Amino acid sequence: MPSPVQTAHPEGIAITTTAHVPGVPVPGAHAPGARGQPRRFWPHGWWRLVDIQIGIIPLPVYLILVALLWVLTSEGEIRSDAPTMIAVLVLGGFTCAEIGKRLPVLRQIGAGAIFATFIPSALVYYALIPGPIVKAITDFTKFTNFLYLYIAAIIVGSILGMDRAVLIKGFLKIFVPLGLGSLAAGCVGTLVGTLLGLGAHHTYFFIVVPIMAGGVGEGAIPLSIGYGAILGIPQGDVFAQVLPPVMLGSLTAIILAGTLNWVGKRRPHLTGEGRLQPDTENDMEAGTPVETGPIDAATVAAAGLTAVTLYLLGVMCHHLTGLPAPVAMLFLAVLAKLASAVSPRLQAGGFIVYKFVQVGMTYPLLFAIGVSLTPWDKLVAAFTIPNLITIVATVVTLMATGYVVGRRLGMYPIEAAIVNACHSGQGGTGDVAILTAANRMSLMPFAQIATRIGGALTVTGTLVFLKWISAAPI
């Protein structure tokens, strides 16, 4: 075998080399790829092929999945069970996102999230996705409710990874830009719509308010029920009017959030890259969680179960108090963090759960939302010039106010604007898409405040106001 020999480097550094012993082959001399030897495909060439990924999917696995799903669909064997749906959603979500991420210019403003949500919606409308797959995805999305599993993991991981002082200051401060932004957006949006001939009453109640109502389930549906009861018109007719602004407002917020992410890369002093305010060196995204040594699989599993438990406690609070389950879960997670009820080791496990869910589940979730919860025809129906200008003016005002007020309060203005953008999103699904486009998923706790609490206050206040002026013409 070669024997080690030390030689003197010109700068005085000792370097260990090996001297060849006659008759003993030098390791690696005849390995594939060595000089004078042909490079073999197996296994190193194959490994290089496996390391080519579409999203998180290795290229050979991607091709196998495409073939398998084609055969299963042809044979009528597509089911809404978890293994099949994981394959379908991962394949669809990362394919759409990868297309968006490779487009010049658009990739800088969140095209990955936009494509993962709205391309499947269009494909369903034009019957380009087989009916059995659409039905299986819709059943799986609605019956498993895995959107809330995703939000639970993101919220708990985000909060447990935050510094306690940052958490307190951020939650107290965020209501100021959110409240002022809502007032400013309501005034500007109504004024713009009125000037474009839409009428002040219609603009405010059927365009501006739905944008900030908190999405579909917590916003458009309660609004349509309340409007129908107060105005004496069918709830279905009202819902058809308020749904398009919700969707277009969310799309506008996604694009603007992606644009702010691009701005932040060129103006680093305006952003904390996911931190809401400066001096947060212990914040999750600023560094790593408290040093706890290696984290084993059992700790990560325990953190995931902790997130599920907090969500179920939130569901219980909803039944007892009427507070939306995600909001109740949010407050319970904050309380657990402030009371030091979760050990540093479990917090570190929560951070790993957060990162896994963020990387592996975001685009599949958006794809499922696009297929099952995003009606393409309603979205296209709202594409009129007056509607578009009014919606864009409303969302821009909401975000610009958050930017200015957040900066005055010592927050990072881009992060404050992005949180305000979530107030104009499509509920929890909109939060996911907006924060994905902005690459700031760690803001999810604050986004839930904007969506859930901000939306609930908007709906409640609007219905009270409408009832008070219900004698006025529509």
Side-chain angles (χ1 to χ4, degrees), residues 36 44 59 107 211 214 226 231 255 279 283 291 333 350 359 400 426 470:
H44 300 284
L59 182 58
R107 66 186 178 192
I211 291 172
L231 301 175
I255 294 172
D279 301 323
D283 196 355
E291 182 61 39
V359 172
Q426 196 175 333
S470 58

Side-chain angles (χ1 to χ4, degrees), residues 269-323:
H269 64 284
L270 298 176
T271 177
E273 291 294 338
R275 294 168 293 158
L276 191 60
Q277 53 192 351
D279 301 323
T280 57
E281 57 186 359
N282 292 324
D283 196 355
M284 179 178 62
E285 294 296 334
T288 56
V290 178
E291 182 61 39
T292 57
I295 304 301
D296 57 16
T299 303
V300 176
L305 183 59
T306 301
V308 171
T309 302
L310 287 171
Y311 172 71
L312 293 177
L313 287 172
V315 172
M316 183 63 67
C317 289
H318 171 68
H319 286 296
L320 296 175
T321 65
L323 191 67

